[in-house]
Amino acid sequence: MVTRPVSAFSGFSGRRARFEHDRPDAATTRELLARLLRCARDEGLATATDLRQRLLLSGIDIDMPRLADARRFLDSGIALDAEAIKAGLTPDIGRFLLQILDGDLAIENFPVFENRIANIYAHAQAATGGEVASYIPELAKQDPDSFGLAVCSIDGQRMALGDAETPFCLQSVMKPLNYALALGLNGERFVHEHVGREPSGQGFNELTLNRDNRPHNPMINSGAIMCSAMIRPGRPVAERFDMLMRFWSSAIGSQACSFDEAVYNSERGTAERNFALAKLMESHDVFPEGSIVDRALDLYFRSCAISLDCRALSVAAATLANGGVCPLTGHRIAEPATVRNTLSLMLTCGMYDFSGEFAFVVGLPAKSGVSGGLMLVVPGVCGIGLWSPPLDRLGNPVRGLEFSRRLVEAFPFHIFAGTTDGPQ
Ligand code: GLN
């Protein structure tokens, strides 16, 4: 029911980002439109309204920028004939529609998928326990009952449940893109001269560094502060932050994201730990030459206060699932190698001191944050954004963990599912 692309072990065809290149069998425009018409007829789709309904049934977000040029056509109710299709659709959109009608989507049977996800959501909602983080005073105001969930597939199929449209501040969920941006700007070699790639085996804000006095990895506070130091260090903080916000915006489909100033001020005022971590790194002289550490910290605090809702977060996760190409716009926001590195570190270090356990049981790249946010990536299939503030003692959202465990029981999403015999 859920299509897994060819696994990384048996070939590479499924690894190419969707919608980046023409499909290999790209036909001439005329042939393409004729095939589209035939497919529509076979399915009994007589008008643009029928086609629109068909897209909705497949979970396709018909408001996505990728379909912008087809909106008028889809809303027109016009009869589907060769003339109308030719006049109303571009070849790229025609190809995408054909893919949908062929059933060649990341999630084949979307209504069934939606149902199962709703079921898992309900089970996760019943999970109790955990505490809302309070060490950043503004976070203590979060409602423990808030629970949002959204999914976006690599083809732009979307669903949302609960408080999926309530914005929350990302906190550590920003770390993967913070790292990806630092990589994109400086290259892997430079970045990893300054930050390691091993799990730390300790809390996210522990006062500790690795054997070389570098932060263990970019998914904990010290490593994220180090990555912030590598984002356009010579420029004013406002400009650097603007760049990071624009990066997030393109990852979520060219939508705006906001900044929660109250959280930023609240965190700045109570950030002794992070100041201490920065001092520790400074004392070992491991920041890149010319770094102004206070500015790197300021950029770090600001990034933790970027706020999004689950729907938007699921798109960022889907962009990573799609090798760096945003499924809603088709824009490449990061190189495949950057995405591979980011996902590797999310898999091994994204869930604090529970990362090994999470990789074992759930087997998906993920990143949690103290606001209760969780970004889950199912490579080649979809991205998931979740938000539920109560955290367990290691700092991971209780409902997020319950959801993730049940997700991989219901679907073969564990990245090593399918590499052993028999049903998973
Ligand atoms: N802003 C938080 C901090 O620095 C981020 C930590 C987190 O989400 N784990 O403490």
Side-chain angles (χ1 to χ4, degrees):
M1 198 215 55
V2 174
T3 320
R4 282 285 284 169
V6 184
S7 107
F9 300 97
S10 55
F12 298 98
S13 57
R15 289 300 181 187
R16 192 162 66 187
R18 290 275 200 168
F19 168 41
E20 190 174 23
H21 308 283
D22 280 351
R23 292 174 350 129
D25 61 344
T28 65
T29 307
R30 206 147 49 108
E31 260 175 79
L32 181 85
L33 296 180
R35 267 170 65 194
L36 184 59
L37 192 61
R38 226 177 306 126
C39 257
R41 292 223 167 106
D42 288 350
E43 288 208 28
L45 309 175
T47 64
T49 311
D50 296 341
L51 180 60
R52 189 177 187 281
Q53 271 312 108
R54 175 67 170 75
L55 300 191
L56 290 173
L57 202 70
S58 306
I60 294 292
D61 170 9
I62 57 172
D63 291 324
M64 69 171 120
R66 183 178 186 184
L67 287 175
D69 289 342
R71 271 316 291 269
R72 191 137 25 113
F73 176 79
L74 291 172
D75 290 341
S76 69
I78 198 170
L80 287 183
D81 58 32
E83 274 314 295
I85 287 184
K86 196 162 160 234
L89 299 175
T90 63
D92 277 350
I93 290 178
R95 204 168 293 121
F96 183 36
L97 294 179
L98 197 56
Q99 181 193 338
I100 298 168
L101 296 186
D102 275 349
D104 179 19
L105 291 175
I107 299 167
E108 265 178 30
N109 190 337
F110 202 74
V112 171
F113 176 81
E114 250 184 319
N115 247 320
R116 285 206 212 164
I117 293 285
N119 203 352
I120 302 172
Y121 173 89
H123 275 103
Q125 192 159 38
T128 53
E131 300 272 332
V132 177
S134 58
Y135 77 101
I136 297 174
E138 201 60 26
L139 292 183
K141 296 182 184 162
Q142 295 192 111
D143 178 358
D145 294 330
S146 302
F147 185 19
L149 177 90
V151 183
C152 176
S153 84
I154 60 162
D155 293 311
Q157 300 162 280
R158 301 180 76 182
M159 66 168 291
L161 292 165
D163 302 306
E165 293 185 10
T166 309
F168 60 93
C169 61
L170 289 175
Q171 295 298 330
S172 284
V173 177
M174 66 81 181
K175 287 171 179 161
L177 288 204
N178 188 46
Y179 167 62
L181 183 57
L183 273 182
L185 292 170
N186 302 283
E188 180 183 323
R189 208 162 139 193
F190 184 81
V191 167
H192 286 292
E193 274 165 18
H194 299 278
V195 56
R197 38 202 194 212
E198 280 294 339
S200 68
Q202 312 206 34
F204 61 86
N205 57 5
E206 211 52 54
L207 268 180
T208 175
L209 298 172
N210 69 15
R211 261 179 259 119
D212 302 324
N213 297 317
R214 309 293 196 268
H216 285 88
N217 67 70
M219 302 294 144
I220 53 173
N221 291 14
S222 50
I225 295 167
M226 185 58 81
C227 289
S228 300
M230 291 186 268
I231 294 174
R232 290 265 189 274
R235 310 299 308 164
V237 176
E239 193 181 311
R240 297 162 71 182
F241 183 55
D242 194 53
M243 182 177 209
L244 188 63
M245 290 272 268
R246 276 187 282 120
F247 191 49
W248 271 98
S249 280
S250 29
I252 63 174
S254 297
Q255 303 167 60
C257 43
S258 51
F259 168 61
D260 190 330
E261 195 157 357
V263 168
Y264 163 72
N265 287 324
S266 178
E267 172 153 15
R268 257 204 94 91
T270 56
E272 286 75 15
R273 251 321 153 117
N274 290 322
F275 282 109
L277 277 169
K279 274 277 163 242
L280 182 64
M281 294 190 280
E282 205 176 9
S283 73
H284 287 294
D285 198 19
V286 290
F287 278 106
E289 223 179 291
S291 296
I292 301 178
V293 176
D294 278 354
R295 294 196 189 154
L297 264 174
D298 193 32
L299 180 58
Y300 170 79
F301 297 138
R302 283 174 199 249
S303 352
C304 291
I306 292 177
S307 101
L308 295 181
D309 63 17
C310 291
R311 273 177 62 79
L313 185 59
S314 70
V315 180
T319 298
L320 294 176
N322 197 32
V325 175
C326 175
L328 304 189
T329 59
H331 300 157
R332 171 167 290 289
I333 69 135
E335 289 309 312
T338 295
V339 175
R340 189 190 62 218
N341 291 344
T342 306
L343 293 179
S344 301
L345 292 182
M346 287 170 75
L347 181 71
T348 52
C349 313
M351 300 296 283
Y352 310 129
D353 202 12
F354 191 68
S355 300
E357 190 67 27
F358 193 86
F360 184 87
V361 175
V362 178
L364 291 175
K367 185 73 202 86
S368 56
V370 286
S371 50
L374 176 66
M375 166 156 75
L376 267 176
V377 177
V378 186
V381 180
C382 65
I384 299 176
L386 182 151
W387 173 57
S388 164
L391 308 177
D392 67 9
R393 67 187 176 79
L394 294 176
N396 288 311
V398 172
R399 293 198 181 94
L401 292 182
E402 186 62 27
F403 177 86
S404 309
R405 278 191 210 104
R406 288 181 179 266
L407 179 76
V408 293
E409 276 167 26
F411 300 104
F413 284 168
H414 190 300
I415 53 170
F416 302 123
T419 59
T420 52
D421 290 332
Q424 300 295 313

